[in-house]
Amino acid sequence: MEKREVVAMTAITEGFETAPAISPVRMIRPVTVVSGGPLALAVAAVLAPFAAARHWPDHLPEGGARRTAWWATAAALAAPWAYGLAVRPWLNRWGSTSEERRHRYPGDGHERPLVSATRAVTVHAPAREVWQWLVQIGQDRGGFYSYDWLENLAGCQIHSADTIRPELQDLAAGDELTIFPGVSTRIAELDPHRSLVIENWGAYIVDPIDEHSCRLIARSHKDRTPGGLVYLLTMELPHGVMERKTLLGIKQRAEAATRA
């Protein structure tokens, strides 16, 4: 693999490794699926004040079209406030306690990041079993236990595993982790049965509560760089939605295996 920055429309994967043959054209599909929604909302939020101030909807013929345009303008005006005051805080802190949000975990930087999120879920299964599911993640491994249909819509070719596979239990710091065919990152740190840190992604921590349950915690952050700003505008929302599902997907599988 040849390391290079993905430019222009592939900036959301800044810092990842890309195959020499992969082209920006091939990235149009995943970028559109993953970041099309946030980008469209951002553009609408910028244009909405001008539309309201200049009464652009009034330029349409009277009737349903004009009413729809005014409703769309009002929704675009309200969306940034709703996201910033309600959706974003809920999603970035989903399931976590104030103590977990304050705690420093492997992979945390030394400077105050531009974006930081801590999500967590209680899993009623032994920590060692939860780790076995976690260590399998990867596009060409056990998947990401998230919305496979959405990832495959983006061309990820993923099928999340429903069993613990012995051949996928070997993982070490420095190993390559495929995110999308032709796009990968690496395992930055690995503490077996405890923590998994993925470059340009974040960290997963398995924190035992007792012999039969544990907390599964996801910590992600982006530094105060242009790449961090791109992430905030294009990837924060889809990453949060998908990562929440990853935590729930591991919880569901681990608890089902324990009951069985």
Side-chain angles (χ1 to χ4, degrees):
M1 301 288 275
E2 174 185 76
K3 188 143 186 174
R4 64 184 175 87
E5 295 286 320
V6 182
V7 295
M9 64 183 172
T10 60
I12 61 168
T13 58
E14 182 181 6
F16 288 175
E17 294 185 0
T18 57
I22 196 168
S23 68
V25 173
R26 186 180 169 190
M27 296 300 294
I28 290 176
R29 178 180 172 185
V31 170
T32 301
V33 172
V34 173
S35 299
L39 284 173
L41 289 174
V43 170
V46 170
L47 294 179
F50 295 98
R54 301 191 178 190
H55 297 271
W56 288 350
D58 287 341
H59 296 167
L60 296 172
E62 289 188 15
R66 182 182 295 185
R67 286 195 299 272
T68 300
W70 272 116
W71 277 111
T73 301
L77 287 170
W81 295 96
Y83 178 70
L85 297 177
V87 177
R88 185 171 185 264
W90 172 80
L91 190 58
N92 284 353
R93 300 174 180 179
W94 179 82
S96 65
T97 66
S98 57
E99 181 179 352
E100 289 167 340
R101 292 192 290 272
R102 290 193 303 267
H103 193 84
R104 290 192 61 80
Y105 292 110
D108 285 348
H110 298 291
E111 298 181 2
R112 188 164 61 92
L114 174 66
V115 180
S116 182
T118 306
R119 305 178 183 96
V121 67
T122 298
V123 185
H124 298 288
R128 280 183 171 269
E129 182 162 332
V130 172
W131 175 263
Q132 290 179 302
W133 291 99
L134 176 62
V135 80
Q136 294 186 156
I137 66 171
Q139 180 270 336
D140 56 349
R141 293 168 57 81
F144 294 103
Y145 312 114
S146 191
Y147 298 104
D148 286 6
W149 66 270
L150 184 56
E151 291 171 323
N152 290 331
L153 185 63
C156 290
Q157 303 169 27
I158 283 177
H159 178 69
S160 294
D162 289 320
T163 59
I164 292 173
R165 296 164 56 184
E167 71 274 17
L168 298 180
Q169 296 301 302
D170 244 349
L171 196 64
D175 284 355
E176 187 177 279
L177 184 72
T178 302
I179 305 298
F180 174 85
V183 178
S184 64
T185 183
R186 293 192 180 275
I187 304 300
E189 301 176 36
L190 188 145
D191 183 1
H193 309 293
R194 172 63 180 168
S195 62
L196 177 65
V197 183
I198 306 171
E199 287 183 5
N200 304 300
W201 183 293
Y204 291 98
I205 296 90
V206 181
D207 189 11
I209 298 174
D210 52 39
E211 292 183 359
H212 308 291
S213 60
C214 62
R215 292 282 284 172
L216 179 58
I217 303 164
R219 167 69 59 79
S220 61
H221 60 267
K222 286 292 179 180
D223 295 330
R224 296 174 179 273
T225 63
L229 182 59
V230 171
Y231 171 88
L232 178 64
L233 294 175
T234 63
M235 280 293 293
E236 183 186 48
L237 177 57
H239 182 189
V241 171
M242 300 299 283
E243 188 167 75
R244 175 181 176 272
K245 180 59 175 176
T246 292
L247 297 179
L248 291 173
I250 294 176
K251 170 185 170 70
Q252 177 187 7
R253 288 166 172 81
E255 291 180 348
T258 298
R259 288 193 300 269

